[in-house]
Amino acid sequence: MIVSKPEDARKDGHFSPAHTFVDIFAGCGGLSLGLMQAGWKGLFAVEHDANAFQTLHDNLIVPDARFRFAWPDWLPMVATDVADLLTTHRQQLAACAGKVDMLVGGPPCQGFSSAGKRNPNDPRNRLVEQYLEFVRLLKPRVVLIENVRGITTDFDDSAADGGKLNYAQWIIKALGEDYDVSTRMIDTSLFGVPQKRHRFFIIGFRRGSGIDPLQLFDAVERHRQTFLRRKGISSVPVSTKAAISDLEVSRNGKIPSRDSAGFQDIAYQGPLTAFQRLMNDGWVGIPPDTRLARHRPEIVARFAKIIDLCHADGRLNVSLSSEIKASFGLKKSAIRVLDPNAPSPTVTSMPDDLIHYSEPRALCVRENARLQSFPDWFAFKGKYTTGGERRKMEVPRFTQVANAVPPLVAEAIGLSVAKLLDEWQNPKPAIREKQRLKFPETLEAQP
């Protein structure tokens, strides 16, 4: 496998040498992958879950990876808790100050998510504080945070004084001491991701960098059509069928699972659509993570009836009606049959939340990964699923996919941030004169 240099990804040739980033709460690496595809140089990443880190390691750290982190000698290539790293390697982290262009990450969001219980006391919410501590140590030029929409919603009774707590406002206020900050709710389907997924992004440019953060999201939107054309995506949104129809069992058949005794994998005959060719990315053979769920015959029959009823009633991509749930004795509220002609609803960590649009089964990990815009060569590691209290401690494959930032969105944002940094450092004469008038103290410090 050929190792791609960061600068190789910058095919339009207008970028300076690669900007650097560090990714904490990195998960399986969706955000890092997108930034590397945009030409950024990853220095290192931090992820505490062993399953997720193994995925990150095998795709973005090993010597023969298509995109690779540089990785410092002082940091072990193992799953690491952010709090422990702040304690054990504080001196080395502080030495990185001024050498990191952007700190990125998505602190775990379970306590904020509307899909969960929105518990203000969930200890995972406090991980945001650790992210901010990294900001204070590394002093990056740019800060990028991604999280769920729920981070912008008040917790009614969370504050000790009886007030309300909005974590987004708290983060923005904390960053505002040293950064100019802007925010945006982004619909990922507008960037070619075949999923109606809304995520909240916070971007901060360090005071004195001379860049107005409001420019970033305007630039992302301004360059969006060009980005889509370069990706071969002729129109958005991309439908679920356009994303995963090449993985239908009826087309490919099955083979014994390559990593799980007693299971079956989807065989594979190649891509059918432009989006599938983009995701296939030169992969030869059967992609990883095509293991099928082992549904009991009565579950298969139930799914088949539900699919027929939802198509007949036009209730696709939405929760089952109370009548349908009652007729099958179902209590689960989130189950939905996919609409083949529309982007998927938000992919979740529960494998049976989404039923295939025509086949009586849950999606496999690879299909979920396609809906998140992961290329087929990106292989997920560790357990497939987990349950009970272990959900708070383990991040199996389905959860890794669901928690990730879609690489296509990360790439689009990464390209725009890099372009802003480059244009500030190497502006045209007319633009430089405007910069001199608006930010004289910044330009005086430049060589």
Side-chain angles (χ1 to χ4, degrees), residues 236-243 311 316-317 337-344 357:
V236 292
V238 176
S239 71
T240 295
K241 188 168 185 176
H311 276 279
L316 300 171
N317 277 2
V337 175
L338 291 170
D339 184 343
N341 301 314
S344 162
Y357 51 81

Side-chain angles (χ1 to χ4, degrees), residues 125-136:
N125 296 350
R126 307 295 181 239
L127 299 178
V128 176
E129 298 173 11
Q130 296 172 11
Y131 183 97
L132 294 172
E133 182 62 17
F134 256 83
V135 173
R136 287 187 284 269

Side-chain angles (χ1 to χ4, degrees), residues 121 246 375:
N121 298 314
D246 59 332

Side-chain angles (χ1 to χ4, degrees), residues 338-351:
L338 291 170
D339 184 343
N341 301 314
S344 162
T346 298
V347 170
T348 74
S349 61
M350 302 295 289

Side-chain angles (χ1 to χ4, degrees), residues 247 258 264-267 286-292 364 366 384:
L247 291 163
R258 294 159 291 172
Q264 292 181 308
D265 284 356
I266 302 171
I286 301 173
D289 302 302
T290 65
R291 192 190 86 170
L292 292 161
C364 67
R366 179 51 48 196
Y384 277 85

Side-chain angles (χ1 to χ4, degrees), residues 117-194:
K117 297 181 179 179
R118 283 190 52 76
N119 178 9
N121 298 314
D122 190 317
R124 291 169 290 189
N125 296 350
R126 307 295 181 239
L127 299 178
V128 176
E129 298 173 11
Q130 296 172 11
Y131 183 97
L132 294 172
E133 182 62 17
F134 256 83
V135 173
R136 287 187 284 269
L137 276 175
L138 267 60
K139 297 178 173 57
R141 190 171 184 183
V142 187
V143 174
L144 178 66
I145 298 176
E146 179 269 356
N147 219 294
V148 293
R149 185 199 302 262
I151 198 173
T152 67
T153 305
D154 291 336
F155 288 110
D156 290 335
D157 58 353
S158 54
D161 60 359
K164 294 184 177 182
L165 175 63
N166 179 311
Y167 267 92
Q169 293 175 354
W170 177 66
I171 293 170
I172 294 166
K173 182 178 180 181
L175 288 175
E177 297 177 4
D178 298 300
Y179 291 82
D180 295 315
V181 182
S182 183
T183 67
R184 185 69 56 90
M185 192 74 70
I186 290 180
D187 177 355
T188 63
S189 71
L190 296 177
F191 295 85
V193 179

Side-chain angles (χ1 to χ4, degrees), residues 234-268:
S234 58
S235 63
V236 292
V238 176
S239 71
T240 295
K241 188 168 185 176
I244 66 172
S245 61
D246 59 332
L247 291 163
E248 292 174 5
V249 175
S250 59
R251 172 181 185 252
N252 297 286
K254 305 175 185 178
I255 60 170
S257 177
R258 294 159 291 172
D259 63 6
S260 303
F263 285 81
Q264 292 181 308
D265 284 356
I266 302 171
Y268 191 65

Side-chain angles (χ1 to χ4, degrees), residues 14 24 48 67 105 124 139 157 180 197-198 282 289 394:
H14 64 262
I24 64 172
H48 85 284
F67 301 94
R124 291 169 290 189
K139 297 178 173 57
D157 58 353
D180 295 315
R197 183 185 186 95
H198 292 84
D289 302 302
E394 298 177 337

